[in-house]
Amino acid sequence: MDMFRSSGRAWRSAALAVLLTVGTLTAAAPGSRSDDARTEVPVSSTSPVAGVLESAVRVKVPLPESAGPRPAACDWLSYLRYRAADGPDAAADADRILVAQPGILEGAGAFDSVARNTVVAAAAQGLHIEFWALDRRSNCLEDRTGIASGDQHTAVDYYYRGKQVDGRTFDGYVGNEKLGWMARLGIEQTVRDQYDLLAAELPDQGLRKRKVLCGGHSLGGVITGYFATADFDGNAATTTDAGHHQCAGYFALDTTVSTSLADLSGSIPDDTDLPDVGLGYGVVQAGLDSGALPRSLSAPVLLNPETMTLLAIAGLGALKAPAAEADLPHYLPSHLNIEATHRFLFAKDTAAFLTGSPGVQDFRLTNAAVLGALLDDNSVPLAFLQSSVGFFDGGPLADKNFPAVNGSAQQPGVYGTEYKAIPDQPHGPLYTWRNYDRVGDADDPGYRSADGTPFTAAKKEVTDIQELARSLAEQPLDFTEQYFPTKLVTDLQLATSPQVKKLVVHPDGLTANPTRTVLAGDGLLAGRVPADLHPLTAPGYQHLDVLTAAPVQNDGRPEPVSTGLAQFAESPN
């Protein structure tokens, strides 16, 4: 869920965006951790994908004392563990373990669909694999209490009106002044966290080298590149600890395994306040340490902890009552942040954005249509947030020509290439949502843009909106990431500085193992990945679809990303 605009010296970017305890704590241990250093909690899901067990795992891996004061929860690392229901209990006995790093402003919950689909696809080949979706350490700051209530109104009241849930009151979103410990959460700590987690859960390095596949989505591919080239004992001459010796292979989901952001450039809006990398590593670090620079990424519209919480709340409505008329736009409190986000997402043109009329509150939408409007590639004007979950239905539509005009040759990559649509009759019919597998049916109106271009087609719709809602609302670790460490971005943007270059101890690690590169056919990297990587391309997919796509596609074929990963797990090459 990420990409970066790299524009010489100046660059700015924006970003999307407490483990929920579900069930009884158990002491199940893939490695050999004591009960007070590891917890594993079964996760219940309504996913129709059968034969998969999910659990939320926490492992105690404290930061050094030099990190400074932080919540106790932030001395733990977390991941979602998916495995075959008829497979071995111990991860070490699995045939293969896929370990996935999330993209920018993305949490472990975003991998729910691809993880389940891959486990099932591998089982069909006779393999018992595991899929571990990692959560970044800073996600310890997130509070899922309101979402865990399972009720939209309760969630809104908890996060926005100070009402209690189960005796708990929301403490508010964490300000920059309390994030001093995050000033050092850069690429070095991120890959160290992955190494420490793997060593704790799978203590046998030889087993890791035989069975673990390391990879990630979007920014996760670059993190995997740094992991592959890292040295973890401080002695380059001893290589059993080297990153590439912890993996049997690499996988990249709409990204590449590399130590460069070049392939991921040009897709973040310019409305954030991040440091000019021309200042140099030392100045940037001093700014982070002092708090003069933001320690987590945030933007005034949509991409901040408060508004990212809205995605999960919208997911609740689409999951519980998809066809019911939504009251969320009216039930939310009215203030500048939410109003600005509403205008950005639902304005038909510049005039509507400036005046706020008509606004989202003026239209009748089902709960599913609200979620679709927030994340579908024919609606949301941010490419790294887009999935292909269907299309509006139920009333007349208009071109959404804000913030970019449909069909414009000058349309920047950050907005994606798909034509955008928006309801066009305020106070009129109830706008519904046509799920991905109903686009192109006999009763589909076949909506077109003003220039006659069809907004979408069956071959371009791949994600079930109910599955997307489950990933947003049911997972104990968030789909989105509310507190993404700024230092992780600045480190990667300053990759040529001596402080970052020295982290690439084993550059041959990038090619030391086989790699499976998977691309979204309509995603951010379409047409920009070198052919010698032999990428597997998923037609019609957007950036998020490689994580969220349904197990069976509109052409009746199995989902290609998970199928490709399962094949790679069987025989990395």
Side-chain angles (χ1 to χ4, degrees):
M1 174 176 308
D2 67 276
M3 296 288 112
F4 299 88
R5 176 182 304 276
S6 179
S7 54
R9 288 171 53 89
W11 69 281
R12 295 187 295 182
S13 71
L16 168 67
V18 190
L19 176 66
L20 165 65
T21 301
V22 183
T24 304
L25 290 179
T26 71
S32 55
R33 306 286 284 177
S34 60
D35 290 356
D36 61 352
R38 184 184 191 277
T39 65
E40 182 162 3
V41 182
V43 175
S44 177
S45 173
T46 59
S47 171
V49 179
V52 180
L53 297 179
E54 179 189 358
S55 55
V57 181
R58 299 171 73 231
V59 180
K60 191 169 187 180
V61 183
L63 286 168
E65 286 307 309
S66 60
R70 67 266 182 196
C74 300
D75 277 336
W76 293 71
L77 299 175
S78 302
Y79 69 95
L80 295 177
R81 180 189 180 200
Y82 297 85
R83 59 193 177 95
D86 62 351
D89 292 334
D93 294 330
D95 294 310
R96 199 77 70 187
I97 304 159
L98 282 68
V99 179
Q101 280 279 357
I104 196 172
L105 302 162
E106 190 170 272
F111 288 94
D112 185 60
S113 291
V114 71
R116 293 178 185 278
N117 293 345
T118 303
V119 169
V120 170
Q125 299 172 189
L127 291 181
H128 290 134
I129 73 166
E130 298 204 3
F131 193 112
W132 295 4
L134 304 184
D135 221 32
R136 260 182 288 277
R137 186 185 288 271
S138 52
N139 290 345
C140 62
L141 298 170
E142 296 173 354
D143 180 354
R144 295 273 303 172
T145 304
I147 303 301
S149 72
D151 179 77
Q152 268 195 334
H153 284 190
T154 301
V156 172
D157 290 345
Y158 180 76
Y159 294 114
Y160 299 97
R161 295 193 174 94
K163 293 188 178 181
Q164 288 191 344
V165 173
D166 294 333
R168 178 170 182 168
T169 302
F170 183 49
D171 291 332
Y173 298 103
V174 184
N176 193 50
E177 71 281 359
K178 295 182 179 179
L179 298 178
W181 64 278
M182 282 181 57
R184 301 277 169 164
L185 289 188
I187 188 61
E188 184 175 14
Q189 186 63 55
T190 300
V191 297
R192 167 62 68 175
D193 283 349
Q194 180 172 343
Y195 177 81
D196 287 346
L197 179 67
L198 286 174
E201 294 291 83
L202 301 167
D204 182 347
Q205 180 271 331
L207 182 142
R208 298 196 295 272
K209 178 59 178 171
R210 294 191 308 274
K211 292 191 175 184
V212 172
L213 299 178
C214 303
H217 174 240
S218 199
L219 180 70
V222 179
I223 294 172
T224 299
Y226 274 90
F227 182 83
T229 59
D231 186 89
F232 292 103
D233 70 352
N235 183 354
T238 59
T239 59
T240 56
D241 64 288
H244 64 278
H245 281 307
Q246 317 310 310
C247 317
Y250 313 127
F251 61 94
L253 302 177
D254 210 35
T255 183
T256 60
V257 175
S258 72
T259 55
S260 170
L261 289 178
D263 287 337
L264 305 182
S265 64
S267 61
I268 288 292
D270 288 331
D271 58 352
T272 50
D273 182 19
L274 288 174
D276 181 343
V277 296
L279 295 174
Y281 183 95
V283 175
V284 170
Q285 186 61 59
L288 292 171
D289 288 338
S290 68
L293 297 176
R295 291 145 172 168
S296 70
L297 297 189
S298 186
V301 176
L302 181 62
L303 308 177
N304 55 69
E306 181 179 42
T307 49
M308 286 193 296
T309 301
L310 290 177
L311 292 175
I313 294 175
L316 272 176
L319 182 61
K320 301 291 184 179
E325 184 167 357
D327 70 349
L328 181 62
H330 301 278
Y331 196 74
L332 284 168
S334 178
H335 58 67
L336 181 61
N337 193 14
I338 291 178
E339 174 63 21
T341 298
H342 280 168
R343 290 194 188 192
F344 181 72
L345 290 177
F346 290 92
K348 179 172 67 173
D349 50 32
T350 302
F353 175 74
L354 293 175
T355 64
S357 180
V360 62
Q361 299 93 335
D362 298 318
F363 295 92
R364 299 177 59 212
L365 304 166
T366 64
N367 286 316
V370 168
L371 182 59
L374 290 171
L375 288 172
D376 186 65
D377 58 343
N378 296 114
S379 180
V380 65
L382 294 174
F384 67 96
L385 285 180
Q386 292 174 358
S387 58
S388 308
V389 293
F391 197 67
F392 287 112
D393 206 350
L397 302 176
D399 287 62
K400 177 174 169 53
N401 289 320
F402 179 87
V405 176
N406 276 343
S408 170
Q410 303 303 314
Q411 184 167 316
V414 65
Y415 300 129
T417 59
E418 302 302 319
Y419 276 47
K420 307 299 185 288
I422 195 167
D424 195 37
Q425 191 171 333
H427 312 294
L430 177 64
Y431 284 90
T432 59
W433 192 258
R434 182 173 289 268
N435 203 5
Y436 86 107
D437 57 351
R438 293 187 56 239
V439 172
D441 282 359
D443 64 343
D444 187 344
Y447 293 99
R448 292 176 177 266
S449 167
D451 68 6
T453 302
F455 281 111
T456 190
K459 64 182 181 181
K460 284 184 166 289
E461 302 300 335
V462 302
T463 291
D464 187 329
I465 196 165
Q466 283 292 98
E467 288 303 292
L468 180 61
R470 287 187 181 92
S471 296
L472 285 161
E474 276 192 352
Q475 291 304 308
L477 301 178
D478 271 335
F479 186 111
T480 57
E481 182 177 28
Q482 296 178 11
Y483 301 96
F484 180 89
T486 301
K487 180 170 171 57
L488 184 51
V489 171
T490 58
D491 278 358
L492 299 179
Q493 285 283 47
L494 292 162
T496 59
S497 68
Q499 297 91 332
V500 179
K501 284 179 67 176
K502 71 179 183 180
L503 303 177
V504 182
V505 179
H506 304 285
D508 292 345
L510 290 172
T511 55
N513 296 309
T515 300
R516 168 62 91 180
T517 301
V518 181
L519 297 183
D522 293 336
L524 299 175
L525 302 184
R528 296 199 293 119
V529 173
D532 60 4
L533 291 180
H534 306 293
L536 167 67
T537 300
Y541 279 44
Q542 296 291 344
H543 190 54
L544 285 186
D545 288 322
V546 296
L547 305 183
T548 61
V552 178
Q553 291 297 288
N554 276 329
D555 59 6
R557 296 180 181 179
E559 196 281 312
V561 175
S562 53
T563 301
L565 288 178
Q567 292 170 346
F568 186 60
E570 180 179 28
S571 180
N573 53 55

